Structures are given as C-alpha cells and as structure tokens.
Amino acid sequence: MLAVKTGAYYHWRIVNNTDEVHPFHIHQVHFLAFDENGHFFAQPRWLDTVNVPVHGSVDLVMDFTDPIIRGVSVFHCHLLNHEDKGMMAKILFQ
C-alpha cells in the first residue's frame, strides 16, 4: 500500500515496460498529465485515466488537495484482465 498526505501535490512518473498500452486510472482524485516520454504536452490536461505508451512513461501531478479525500482507495490498469492479474494497488490518504 502507498500512503500520501492529503493537502499535497505529488509528481508521479508511471512507467510501462511492456509491449502494450496500459490505461492508468486512479479513484477519488485527478491528476495533471503534462509529459509523455520526456516531451511536454502542448496542453496539459486534468484526467483520472491516461494511456501509458508501450515502453514509455507519463509524468503526472497528482492532486491530493481535496479535503474530503479519506481512507483507502485504489489505482490500477484500466484493462480488466490486467487489473484482475494484479495491476492494482491500494493508496492510503492520510
């Protein structure tokens, strides 16, 4: 389980070392997707799901500032068969 402090922003880099695209999804919060494979987006965007390219990465600003975020939630690959095979993790909001 990963723990984060509510009221803060975090920089996360999501890395994909596989031969298929993985849609990364997180519950309860949004993130600003601003970079893919070392190249800044012309227009960063607020999302809750982003495709992580084959053998690539995305950089995100995770927004944990909403004061109503509480407890435990999850982030995972949004492909159901990947999620079912373990591409999911819990996140504890402190």
Side-chain angles (χ1 to χ4, degrees), residues 54-72:
V54 172
H55 295 284
S57 64
V58 292
D59 283 73
L60 314 171
V61 174
M62 305 301 293
D63 181 1
F64 301 122
T65 61
D66 189 335
I68 66 168
I69 299 169
R70 296 281 187 268
V72 176

Side-chain angles (χ1 to χ4, degrees), residues 48-94:
D48 66 5
T49 305
V50 66
N51 286 329
V52 186
V54 172
H55 295 284
S57 64
V58 292
D59 283 73
L60 314 171
V61 174
M62 305 301 293
D63 181 1
F64 301 122
T65 61
D66 189 335
I68 66 168
I69 299 169
R70 296 281 187 268
V72 176
S73 190
V74 295
F75 57 94
H76 57 89
C77 181
H78 223 232
L79 299 175
L80 186 57
N81 63 333
H82 291 179
E83 178 185 330
D84 290 346
K85 292 178 181 175
M87 285 189 169
M88 177 183 285
K90 292 180 182 177
I91 184 167
L92 172 63
F93 300 107
Q94 297 178 322

Side-chain angles (χ1 to χ4, degrees), residues 2-23:
L2 175 70
V4 298
K5 293 189 182 296
T6 56
Y9 293 97
Y10 287 75
H11 172 207
W12 283 14
R13 175 170 289 148
I14 311 300
V15 177
N16 177 2
N17 292 321
T18 72
D19 292 325
E20 55 189 320
V21 172
H22 292 280

